[in-house]
Amino acid sequence: MNLVNLLAASAAACSILASTALGADIPKKKQSKAGLYVTASEANNMLQDDAVIFIDIRSRAEVAFLGMLVEADINIPYMIMPMLAEYDDEKQGYSLEVNPDFPNVFSDYAEENNITTTSKIILMCRSGSRSARAADLLFDMGYTNVYSVVDGYEGDKSKDGSSKGQRTVNGWKNDGLQWSYSIRPDQVYPDDRS
């Protein structure tokens, strides 16, 4: 085994160990059935392995207005905003609904890209809750190696200080990891391709 492969294997092993250690500290809404968790930084390290599939499951609007990580393989939204979205007083925002096409679009993508039920798959949403639900769905479909990025693309909300309530704590963007406002054609949600 050469040094590059050894380093990649070590990084992957550290990520798996970290995901196990993270499990005890994961808020209930971010827990998944498989119990596989990584932080944005750990997910970035896992991407050194070409066999890892990285799926951004945020909505089209999030990807369009907030950018997308350069290394993502594809955007398959787990939740979508309906045409007549309703305001949710409790959440102080507009409601999303589960994308009914998510399982079929994922299955088609998996078949086209030789993704097996044991392939390493990383899912990322805004802050880790939707990715856990999407991981549960894939787990129920037989995919056993699905990781949820617990701090997501934007991270958790700050609990105090001048940035209280803002997503400044952790996450892909706050960790300074590579992202772009440009979305490559191969990253576009399949239903949106011409």
Side-chain angles (χ1 to χ4, degrees):
M1 180 179 277
N2 67 30
L3 182 58
V4 172
N5 289 340
L6 182 61
L7 290 173
S10 294
C14 287
S15 291
I16 291 168
L17 288 173
S19 71
T20 303
L22 277 172
D25 297 329
I26 304 296
K28 188 163 182 67
K29 68 181 182 178
K30 293 185 180 189
Q31 292 178 12
S32 67
K33 292 177 181 177
L36 298 174
Y37 312 105
V38 290
T39 64
S41 292
E42 291 164 345
N44 186 54
N45 290 337
M46 287 176 72
L47 289 173
Q48 304 309 310
D49 179 353
D50 290 337
V52 172
I53 308 303
F54 200 112
I55 302 175
D56 187 328
I57 63 145
R58 295 175 301 140
S59 70
R60 293 172 176 104
E62 288 172 294
V63 169
F65 295 114
L66 301 172
M68 185 171 179
L69 65 140
V70 174
E71 297 283 337
D73 291 294
I74 193 165
N75 170 241
I76 304 176
Y78 175 67
M79 297 189 84
I80 55 176
M81 184 174 284
M83 288 299 289
L84 299 174
E86 294 182 16
Y87 181 77
D88 184 328
D89 288 331
E90 185 178 321
K91 293 183 179 181
Q92 295 183 340
Y94 288 94
S95 296
L96 297 174
E97 60 186 35
V98 174
N99 178 359
D101 296 328
F102 183 86
N104 292 332
V105 172
F106 176 82
S107 293
D108 290 346
Y109 183 76
E111 186 176 326
E112 292 167 11
N113 292 278
N114 301 315
I115 298 169
T116 68
T117 56
T118 58
S119 296
K120 281 186 188 172
I121 302 166
I122 301 173
L123 303 179
M124 185 175 68
C125 64
R126 179 190 62 199
S127 59
S129 298
R130 284 177 286 165
S131 59
R133 297 298 63 80
D136 286 347
L137 177 65
L138 295 186
F139 186 82
D140 289 344
M141 290 170 62
Y143 293 87
T144 58
N145 213 1
V146 182
Y147 291 78
S148 176
V149 179
V150 294
D151 49 350
Y153 187 72
E154 291 187 66
D156 294 313
K157 291 179 182 177
S158 179
K159 295 189 185 318
D160 51 31
S162 62
S163 60
K164 181 178 180 179
Q166 297 175 14
R167 296 189 181 281
T168 59
V169 176
N170 49 22
W172 194 271
K173 286 181 89 170
N174 292 319
D175 284 350
L177 301 173
Q178 194 174 17
W179 64 276
S180 174
Y181 285 115
S182 297
I183 303 165
R184 295 187 320 265
D186 62 307
Q187 292 176 312
V188 172
Y189 183 48
D191 286 1
D192 297 339
R193 295 178 186 168
S194 33

